[in-house]
Amino acid sequence: MATTISKPETLFGKRIRRQEDPRLITGTAVYLDDIKMPGMHHACIVRSPHAAAKIRAIDTAAAAGRPGVVAVFTAKDTGHLGAVPCAASLPGLRVPRHDLLARDRVYYVGHPVAVVVATDRYLARDAAEMVEVDYEPLPAVADPEKALAEGAPAVHPEWPGNVAFTFHQEGGNIEQAFSEAEVVVKQRITSQRLIPTALETRGVVADWRPGENSVTLFSSTQIPHLMRTLVAGILGMPENRLRVVTPEVGGGFGSKLNVYAEEALMAFISMRIQKPVKWVESRRENFTCTIHGRGHVDYFELAARRDGVMLGLKLKLIQDLGAYHQLLTPAIPTLSVLMMPGLYKFQNVSADIVGVFTNCVPTDAYRGAGRPEATHGIERMVDILAAELAMDPVEIRLKNFVGNDEFPYTTPTGLSYDSGNYAAPLRKALEQVDYPALRREQAQAREEGRLMGIGVSTYGEICAIGPSPSMPAGGWESATVKIEPTGKVTVLTGASPHGQGEETTFAQVVADELGVPMDDVLVVHGDTSVVQYGIGTFGSRGTAVGGAALFYALQDLKAKVKKFGAMLLDAPAVILSGGSCVDERTGKSVSFAEVAAAAYHAKRLPPATEPGLVSTHFWEPPNFTFPFGAHVVVSEVDRETGDIRIRRYVAVDDCGKIINPLLVDGQVHGGVAQGLGQALWEQAVYDENGQLITGELTDYALPKAHLMPWIESSHTETPSPVNPLGVKGVGEAGTIGCSPAVVNSVVDALSPLGVRHLDMPLTPEKIWKAIQGGQA
Amino acid sequence: MKRKISLRINGKPYTDEVEPRLLLIHYLREVAGLTGPHIGCETSICGACTVMLQGRAVKSCTMFAVQADGREIVTIEGLAANGALDPVQQAFWNEHGLQCGFCTPGMIMATKQLLQDNPSPTDLEIRHGLEGNLCRCTGYQHIVNAVKAAAGKAGA
C-alpha cells in the first residue's frame, strides 16, 4: 500500500501514435492471405465473361482431370444451399434469388459459375481455364436510365422494366412551397459508380474441423458476427458451430460490410473436401465482383424566394442497383433521402427513388453510403441557386442554416439533428483563406482571362449508425472489459476496426477511466469465439457507438473495483486515482494489481459481490449523431488543357469531441482523398454490353501521392449529447464534404464562360470541352 | 520443369527448386515464408509488393523468382536490426503514416529507395517518388510527413 496520490493526466484529446502500428510497420501483421494451414487447398472461381447469357452447359471434366485438382463445383453441387442475403427491406421490394453459383443464367460480368479446387493456387488457376461453359449471350443493359427505357432488355426476365422498387418520402408541404416560390432551379446531377478499392482484396480461408463438427471461417470483413449468423443461415448449420475470425483487414470502406457468395462457398467446400481451403480475390475480381458504390442519377428541383431563403426541395433519384441486392443495396439511396435537406432549415421535401436493375455488379455501401450523393446534390443546388440569384454562395448558406438555438432539430425527413453550430466551421475556413481577399484576387484573375474558382461545401452527415429500429439487425454495440488477475486490462469490442485505430483510442479511454497505463490495455476484436456478439465497423460507428459501450462497461467495472478497494482499505468509500483505489480520508491506497488479485483470489468478498472483474455492456444509442463541417477549395483551371490545379484545400470538420487528433486528421485526409477521387478522377465505366472497361488498377484512376493537394485540416468541437464521450464519428466526413466543394470551385472558375454545372469526374477532357463550348 | 535458385534474403541464404513461372512475390510469401510484402494488384500498379533487389526497390509481383537467382533481396522483415526499428519505420509510426497497413511494407521500401537517391527531398519530390505506391487510407499526407521526418533523421 502506498500513500501518494498523483493526479492522472488524461489521454482524451492527445495526439498519440497507434498501438497497432508495430506489427504493421515490421511486416509481421497477419492478413488473410498470410494464413497457411497444413493441407490447405486453393480455390479459383470461374466467372462469366458475359453481362447476360444463358448457360447451356458446363463441362468440368477437363478441369477435373488437371494435375492437383481435387474438385470442381457448380450450381448442381451448391443448389441446395441458401442464397446470398439481402438484409434491407422496403415495401414491394423485388428480391431476385442470388444463388452462390449461377444456375442457368448469368447476370453480370464476373458472375461466379464454378469453383475449381486444387492443391496449389497456380494449379487451380490453370484448371479454371479448362472449365468449358457454353453460353448463349443475351442483350444486356448497363445504364440505369437506359434500363428504364421502353424496350430495354430485362435484367431479370420475370421483371421487365427493371424496376426493383420505388420509394416515396415527403415532409412538410412541397406543393405549397413550390407554389409560393419566386424562383425554382432544376438540375440533373449524377454521382458516378465508384470502385471502393481496398488495397487488400477480399479473401476467405475455411477450415472444417470434423472432430469439433465446426467450421472456422477467416474472412477479410468489417462484420464478423453478422457474417457468422448469415453464413450459418446459408449453410443451414448451427451458428455456434461456425466461428468467424477477421485477421488484419487491409481496408474496407464498406466493400467488406457484406456477405458474399465466396464466404459460404469456401465453408461448404472445406466441409466437402475435408481440408482447409483458401480463396483470395484477384484485383480484377475485386473490381468486377465486389460491390461498387454510388451509381446515382438525381433530378433536383429547389424552390426559393428571391432573397435566397430556400423553401423546398424535390428529388427524383434513380439508383443503379446492379443485378442483385447485396447486404444493404436497396437501403443505401434511402440514406440519401434522409440527408437531402443538408444543414438547411427549409421544411418541405419530396423524394422519389426508383431502384433499377442493371447487368452490373451490385452497388452497396461505399464510404459515405448515400450521404455523399445527398450532400453533393444539395450543395450543388445551393450554388446553382446562388448563381441564379447572383448571390454569394457563402451568404446564401449562412441565411439558411439551422440556428444554434434550434437543437435538437427535427428535419422534414424525420431525423433529429443532435447538436450543431453550422456557421462556425464555415467562418473558420473562410477566415483561414481570407475569403474577401480571394474574391478580389479572382476578380483580378478574370480580368486577366485566368480561370480561378472558389468553392464551398457545408455538409452534414448521419453517423454513429445507428439506433436499432433503423437497422435490419441491430444498431447497438458491445464491449467487455476484463481486469485480469495481474491488473492488466483486456477489452473485447464488438466493433471490428480495420485501420481506424480503435486499439489506440479505446486504450486511451480505458487508461483515463481506470487510471492505468495505456500499454497495460489490450483491445481485442474480430473473433466470434472470443468476443461477445457485436455489429461491426461501418457508418462512422466504431467509436461513437462501440466507444460508448466501452465507456459504460468501464463505469460498471469501476464500481466493482471500488468495492474491492474499499474492502482492502477498510474504508467506507474510495476514489479511483492514478491507477489506485484511494481512501480520501487517510490518503492510503491500493494499486490496481492488488485489487485485481484480491478480486480473483477471493479470500474475502465485499457484500453481495461476485469474484472477478469483468463487465459487459451492450449499448443501444438513443439517436444517430450528426457531424458537420465546411470545406473550401481554391482551384485554377488551365484554359488550354482543361487541367485542374487545387491551390488550397481547407477542411474544418466538427466531429464532436476528439479523442485522438492525430487519428482524426488521418481519417479526414483519407476521406478527402476518396472524395477528390470521385470529384476528379474515378469512375467505374461499363460499356453498352456490360463489360467493365475500368477492370484493373491500370484503368481505374485512383488518387496518387503527387495528385493530392495539401489538406489544411482543423476542427470545431460541438459535443454530441447522444453518447457519454461526446463524439460523433469522422470516418466518412472527408469524403462527404469534399466532392461538392471541388465541383463548386471548378464551376465557379468556369462560370464566366456560362458553365452552370458539371458532372463528376471532372476530367481534363470534360473541362476542355466545357471551355470550348463556353467560348463558342 | 523446376529450376534451382539460390539467393540471399535479409542476409540469409535460401536455395529452392521453383517453377520458372513462379512470381517473386509468391516465392517470398509462400516459399520463403516472408509475408510482409503484399499483393495488391499483380499489375505493377499498387506497389504493395515492393522489395529491395540489389539495393533497388522493385515490384516483386512482376518479376519471376528465377530472375532473382544469385541476387540479394531485402524485405520489410529485414529492416529492423536487433529489434531497433529503421528510421523510416519509426517515422511512419510517429507520423501516423499508415492506417490499414496493407500498403505500408511496400511504401516503406519505396521510401528507403527515395531517401537513398535524394536524402533531403522536397514535398513534391516525395510525392513523385511515391507515385508508384498506392495508399487508399491516408490521402498520403501523413506519409509525406513521415518521409520528411525520416529524411531529417537520416540527415541529422
Side-chain angles (χ1 to χ4, degrees), chain A residues 17-18 34 36 126 711, chain B residues 21 29-30 94 99 141:
Chain A
R17 64 182 188 172
R18 295 197 312 176
D34 303 340
K36 245 183 166 178
D126 288 346
I711 300 157
Chain B
R21 66 171 176 168
R29 293 176 48 81
E30 310 281 338
N94 292 344
Q99 288 176 29
Q141 194 151 316

Side-chain angles (χ1 to χ4, degrees), chain A residues 49-285:
Chain A
H50 302 287
K54 280 186 185 157
I55 298 174
R56 285 194 287 238
I58 304 175
D59 185 350
T60 60
R66 293 282 304 175
V69 174
V70 300
V72 182
F73 298 98
T74 67
K76 280 183 185 161
D77 306 290
T78 60
H80 65 288
L81 299 172
V84 178
C86 171
S89 59
L90 290 169
L93 179 67
R94 289 167 168 166
V95 183
R97 184 180 161 83
H98 190 172
D99 288 307
L100 301 182
L101 293 171
R103 285 168 193 262
D104 51 3
R105 197 176 163 113
V106 289
Y107 295 86
Y108 63 96
V109 169
H111 199 148
V113 174
V115 189
V116 176
V117 185
T119 51
D120 168 284
R121 81 171 74 195
Y122 281 58
L123 297 177
R125 235 190 238 195
D126 288 346
E129 298 286 323
M130 306 297 287
V131 173
E132 281 187 36
V133 185
D134 183 5
Y135 293 105
E136 179 187 328
L138 297 166
V141 63
D143 176 288
E145 288 194 293
K146 286 182 182 160
L148 288 175
E150 190 84 19
V155 174
H156 296 280
E158 61 271 40
W159 296 313
N162 297 315
V163 174
F165 69 92
T166 59
F167 177 86
H168 176 77
Q169 184 173 351
E170 66 176 68
N173 188 335
I174 193 71
E175 295 316 320
Q176 192 183 338
F178 272 74
S179 69
E180 287 173 2
E182 293 165 349
V183 56
V184 173
V185 287
K186 304 180 183 183
Q187 185 62 49
R188 175 184 186 272
I189 296 175
T190 62
S191 282
Q192 75 273 30
R193 254 186 191 257
L194 299 175
I195 305 181
T197 323
L199 209 60
E200 180 205 33
T201 59
R202 290 188 298 118
V204 184
V205 173
D207 180 23
W208 163 245
R209 294 175 189 174
E212 299 165 15
N213 196 21
S214 73
V215 175
T216 302
L217 195 66
F218 298 85
S219 178
S220 180
T221 182
Q222 302 171 227
I223 47 166
H225 284 94
L226 295 175
M227 176 169 293
R228 185 187 71 184
T229 305
L230 293 166
V231 172
I234 296 170
L235 299 172
M237 70 184 291
E239 182 177 9
N240 54 3
R241 297 282 170 184
L242 182 65
R243 173 187 181 189
V244 175
V245 180
T246 58
E248 207 75 58
V249 174
F253 315 114
S255 71
K256 296 172 182 174
L257 159 55
N258 230 305
V259 172
Y260 293 92
E262 291 87 355
E263 277 113 10
L265 281 172
M266 293 310 131
F268 165 75
I269 290 169
S270 181
M271 288 190 270
R272 282 289 291 271
I273 68 170
Q274 303 275 307
K275 297 278 184 195
V277 63
K278 179 194 276 188
W279 168 78
V280 175
E281 194 182 49
S282 69
R283 180 55 65 187
R284 183 164 187 83
E285 287 178 298

Side-chain angles (χ1 to χ4, degrees), chain A residues 77 83 90 300 350 371 468 511-512 585 596 650 662 710 764:
Chain A
D77 306 290
L90 290 169
F300 283 101
S350 169
R371 291 98 90 210
S468 294
D512 278 353
R585 302 169 312 168
V650 173
L662 182 65
W710 189 260

